[in-house]
Amino acid sequence: MAGQLYSEFKEFFPNNAVEYFVSYYDYYQPEAYVPSTDTFIEKDASINDEIDKLRHSATSSLFERNDVLIVASVSCIYGLGSPEEYRNQVLSLRVGMEKDRDQLLRGLVDIQYARNDIDFKRGTFRVRGDSVEIIPPASREEHCIRVEFFGDEIERIREVDALTGEILGDREHIAIFPASHFVTGEDKLKKQW
């Protein structure tokens, strides 16, 4: 029913950001112990990648827009962490900005992106010379963001077809949201230990 409501809201509010935030598990088996047979059953789960992408889209829309409608299930009340922590982890990049390429790479790893030059998919980045290509978690996998450097300056930001390399458009600014909803800042991690 949530899916139907989501579709109807997209029709009723075509100019708004209508988003979908439901549980992303196709299958979830909690861990269990059966004392009579002394059997331990491990936790097992299967995550729906498409729903995960929709959840990230909903989260990023809340930070970027004021006209957001979210169709959600009870899963939206489970702790995803602090919205402030999530917002503080967003990387904001602008053309002309002074930023060392290696500093960007460390920043991406800090917000749980993985470097992967072979299996380039959502939540990963790859490096090609003075260019860094990133597929954000709310993005379609065929589109990536290419950040081109000239020395320690961001020379150009482009949206690119990840497979063909076709340039889809230039951007002046890009906000790169964390690859996972479960992020914690370095300050908070140091406090814990």
Side-chain angles (χ1 to χ4, degrees):
M1 290 230 272
Q4 180 181 348
L5 185 61
Y6 169 68
S7 296
E8 290 174 2
F9 272 24
K10 283 186 88 59
E11 287 180 34
F12 292 145
F13 304 101
N15 298 324
N16 292 62
V18 178
E19 303 289 352
Y20 192 64
F21 195 99
V22 298
S23 175
Y24 56 21
Y25 290 113
D26 282 336
Y27 167 77
Y28 183 80
Q29 165 67 51
E31 65 182 28
Y33 177 70
V34 182
S36 61
T37 60
D38 193 32
T39 305
F40 176 75
I41 301 168
E42 286 190 49
K43 178 172 73 171
D44 189 21
S46 172
I47 293 175
N48 185 313
D49 195 52
E50 185 64 27
I51 292 176
D52 185 44
K53 178 172 72 173
L54 292 170
R55 288 167 59 106
H56 279 283
S57 178
T59 307
S60 60
S61 288
L62 284 172
F63 286 107
E64 294 180 322
R65 299 180 63 156
N66 293 323
D67 62 344
V68 181
L69 292 151
I70 297 181
V71 176
S73 68
V74 73
S75 71
C76 73
I77 66 171
Y78 294 113
L80 287 178
S82 164
E84 292 81 21
E85 286 284 333
Y86 186 85
R87 181 184 30 220
N88 291 339
Q89 301 294 323
V90 174
L91 293 177
S92 179
L93 304 175
R94 293 189 183 283
V95 172
M97 176 185 217
E98 290 283 327
K99 190 166 193 84
D100 180 58
R101 187 195 70 151
D102 291 342
Q103 183 184 8
L104 172 60
L105 301 181
R106 281 190 296 277
L108 288 169
V109 170
D110 288 345
I111 59 173
Q112 299 186 14
Y113 281 78
R115 183 173 179 171
N116 196 325
D117 295 327
I118 298 167
D119 187 19
F120 195 42
K121 60 185 180 183
R122 290 183 324 105
T124 64
F125 68 94
R126 63 185 177 194
V127 181
R128 295 185 170 168
D130 287 339
S131 296
V132 178
E133 294 181 339
I134 308 155
I135 299 184
S139 173
R140 295 181 300 206
E141 287 196 12
E142 61 271 8
H143 291 186
C144 70
I145 300 299
R146 180 182 294 155
V147 181
E148 299 175 9
F149 288 86
F150 184 76
D152 287 344
E153 181 181 327
I154 296 175
E155 182 178 43
R156 196 172 12 241
I157 300 173
R158 292 184 155 165
E159 188 171 346
V160 177
D161 184 298
L163 190 59
T164 65
E166 176 188 351
I167 297 167
L168 304 171
D170 286 339
R171 299 269 194 87
E172 288 299 311
H173 172 260
I174 184 73
I176 300 174
F177 289 87
S180 170
H181 284 107
F182 307 100
V183 292
T184 303
E186 191 175 333
D187 296 341
K188 197 169 189 177
L189 283 174
K190 287 180 180 177
K191 279 184 189 177
Q192 296 293 324
W193 300 103

